[in-house]
Structure formats: structure tokens, C-alpha cells
Amino acid sequence: MARVIVDVMLKPEILDPQGQAIARALPRLGFSGVSDVRQGKRFEVELDGPADEAALSDVRKMAETLLANTVIEDFTIHVES
């Protein structure tokens, strides 16, 4: 059994209004020293078997077709130890 993490983030050239709202709210909450915030999504995919190349290829296909909008989002995949 393995856990694969898929992190999805807006592409750098895409505006992130939620991240901007968070960045503006932080000083009001007493947090300083933050110059930028970008919000993303994290998916944890539990596999029945090992995280071999075939399984990771399937997770990549999941990310491309369902988990991320690849027009405006990038994603990374890694196996959690």
C-alpha cells in the first residue's frame, strides 16, 4: 500500500485572488514579513499496491483528467514515505 501526493497550483502567470486575499488579511491578523501567498490543492491518493511506474502513470492521468485543470494549473506528484 502506498500514498501518492498530488499538489495542484495555479500557473505562475495566472492571478490568484484567493492568495491575494489571504496575503492582505495576514497583516490585519498580526502576521508580518509575508510578501506573497498562492493557494493550491493537495490530493492524497491511497494505492492498493506499490507506487510503481504503472501506478504513478495512472495517478498522472488522474491529475491530468480530473484533479487539475491543466490549462491554468500545474501539478506535481510524489510518493509519501
Side-chain angles (χ1 to χ4, degrees):
M1 190 170 204
R3 176 178 291 172
V4 180
I5 307 301
V6 181
D7 289 312
V8 180
M9 296 292 295
L10 286 171
K11 291 182 178 183
E13 62 271 16
I14 303 297
L15 292 178
D16 182 1
Q18 287 180 298
Q20 290 172 346
I22 293 166
R24 285 191 305 271
L26 289 173
R28 291 193 306 267
L29 296 171
F31 298 100
S32 61
V34 177
S35 60
D36 190 31
V37 175
R38 295 198 53 91
Q39 184 200 349
K41 299 179 279 191
R42 174 185 165 115
F43 298 92
E44 297 181 1
V45 180
E46 295 280 340
L47 302 176
D48 290 333
D52 57 16
E53 285 303 314
L56 292 177
S57 177
D58 283 346
V59 172
R60 191 169 292 108
K61 288 176 190 171
M62 289 177 210
E64 290 170 347
T65 58
L66 178 63
L67 303 179
N69 176 350
T70 57
V71 174
I72 62 169
E73 295 173 318
D74 290 326
F75 65 88
T76 59
I77 296 172
H78 69 274
V79 179
E80 190 172 75
S81 304

